[in-house]
């Protein structure tokens, strides 16, 4: 059965919630989105998104919307009295340019995805294929027989066009993906804006417009954080995290979701109350790399708080807000002896990622929120 065919409305709980609420979290942030991007930030058309991944808008019948997906990426709020680069990055990074630490120059042999904007579909697609409208689409198998972050040449490996740049304000990039690129159907026009708001807020807004065919879209910002500073090393004991998610999507040995949605209570994945990342680390085979199902709270709000992270040494605190259904928590388990910014060598567990997103492998699980958008 085609997992991406129209389904009963009850299957779309998470997506419908995003379509039935209005933006009301932070008026300053919303005004910034309106003034600087000119994109709609409320209403039935498509809610603004606060993560680096898309969640489709749906009609009352539970079918994919014909409108473009629009989102604002991680809405970050920082508290700190110190200045220090808190993002890991590639060796060629330029530390003093406002946006370059978020959009790293990629190396085709690099598997870290430092700061990359990944797509067309972020995270993993099981078996490197999916079925849509009765047609099987085969994708590059670049990760143990599966597709990771859009394939062997995903959006993190392509050249984006600078549409608009205003110093100390925002940067807008665009990219036109052709029909069949990395095996995905249809032409897709993508626009992403990185915004600096005030002295301690940062946002990313993304919009994708399909041109001629239905297609899956799930964009994510693959940013590595170390609130102690990118050269401060292991984050497991110094960082305390709280995740506002009471469930996860369990995975198999190749990190492909099983299709289950399981409670975190009583497990090492339970961060409903703040605790150090290391506190239950020994109960895991090799660190955290899992999608959390975010708990949506508060009627009338599109943005949901996804996480709070604090570094005990520097005193820095970060909040992450999003309108997405999930967030991937990753403790850089596969990072090791990687030469990064300024020639510093990053070790395993030298940073963490919080990638707001739609559920991984959604195209192959009917019970997950759909990521299909229509032309």
């Amino acid at each position: 059965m085609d997992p991406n065919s129209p389904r009963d409305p009850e299957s779309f709980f998470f997506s419908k919630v995003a379509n039935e609420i209005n933006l009301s979290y932070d008026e300053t942030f919303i005004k910034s989105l309106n003034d600087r991007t000119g994109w709609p930030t409320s209403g039935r058309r498509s809610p603004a998104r606060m993560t680096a991944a898309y969640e489709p808008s749906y009609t009352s019948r539970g079918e994919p919307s014909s409108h473009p997906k629009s989102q604002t990426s991680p809405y970050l709020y920082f508290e700190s009295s110190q200045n220090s680069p808190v993002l890991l990055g590639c060796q060629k990074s330029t530390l003093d340019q406002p946006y370059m630490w978020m959009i790293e120059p990629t190396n085709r042999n690099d598997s870290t995805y430092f700061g990359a904007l990944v797509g067309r579909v972020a995270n993993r697609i099981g078996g490197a294929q999916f079925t849509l409208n009765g047609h099987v689409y085969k994708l590059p198998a670049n990760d143990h027989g599966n597709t990771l972050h859009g394939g062997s040449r995903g959006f993190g490996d392509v050249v984006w066009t600078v549409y608009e740049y205003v110093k100390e304000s925002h940067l807008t990039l665009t990219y036109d993906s052709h029909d069949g690129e990395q095996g995905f159907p249809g032409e897709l026009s993508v626009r992403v804006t990185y915004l600096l708001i005030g002295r301690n807020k940062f946002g990313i807004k993304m919009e994708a417009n399909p041109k001629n065919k239905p297609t899956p879209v799930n964009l994510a910002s693959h940013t590595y954080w170390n609130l102690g500073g990118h050269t401060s090393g292991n984050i497991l004991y110094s960082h305390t995290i709280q995740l506002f998610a009471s469930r996860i999507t369990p995975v198999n040995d190749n990190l492909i979701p099983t299709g289950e949605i399981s409670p975190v209570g009583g497990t090492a994945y339970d961060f409903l109350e703040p605790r150090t990342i290391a506190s239950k680390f020994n109960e895991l085979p090799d660190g955290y790399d899992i999608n959390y199902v975010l708990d949506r709270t508060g009627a009338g709000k599109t943005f949901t708080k996804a996480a709070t992270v604090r570094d005990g040494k520097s005193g820095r605190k970060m909040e992450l807000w999003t309108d997405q259904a999930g967030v991937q928590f990753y403790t850089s388990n596969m990072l090791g002896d990687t030469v990064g910014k300024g020639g510093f060598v990053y070790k395993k567990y030298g940073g963490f990622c919080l990638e707001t997103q739609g559920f991984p492998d959604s195209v192959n699980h009917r019970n997950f929120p759909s990521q299909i958008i229509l032309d």
Side-chain angles (χ1 to χ4, degrees), residues 55-72:
E55 181 181 357
S57 169
Y58 288 86
T59 69
S60 60
R61 299 189 304 277
E63 298 170 352
S65 170
S66 60
H67 296 303
K69 290 203 299 184
S70 165
Q71 78 188 45
T72 47

Side-chain angles (χ1 to χ4, degrees), residues 184-248:
F184 290 100
E187 298 175 7
L188 187 74
S189 179
V190 185
R191 182 167 63 168
V192 178
T193 296
Y194 296 81
L195 305 105
L196 298 174
I197 303 166
R199 60 184 299 271
N200 61 349
K201 295 179 183 179
F202 176 74
I204 308 174
K205 182 171 182 177
M206 304 178 178
E207 184 179 56
N209 292 281
K211 298 299 184 181
N212 52 4
K213 295 179 183 178
T215 188
V217 178
N218 183 30
L219 304 184
S221 178
H222 204 294
T223 305
Y224 287 74
W225 302 91
N226 187 322
L227 299 186
H230 81 107
T231 62
S232 63
N234 193 301
I235 48 91
L236 300 182
Y237 296 91
S238 59
H239 283 56
T240 298
I241 187 169
Q242 182 177 16
L243 293 169
F244 298 88
S246 56
R247 292 176 294 172
I248 57 171

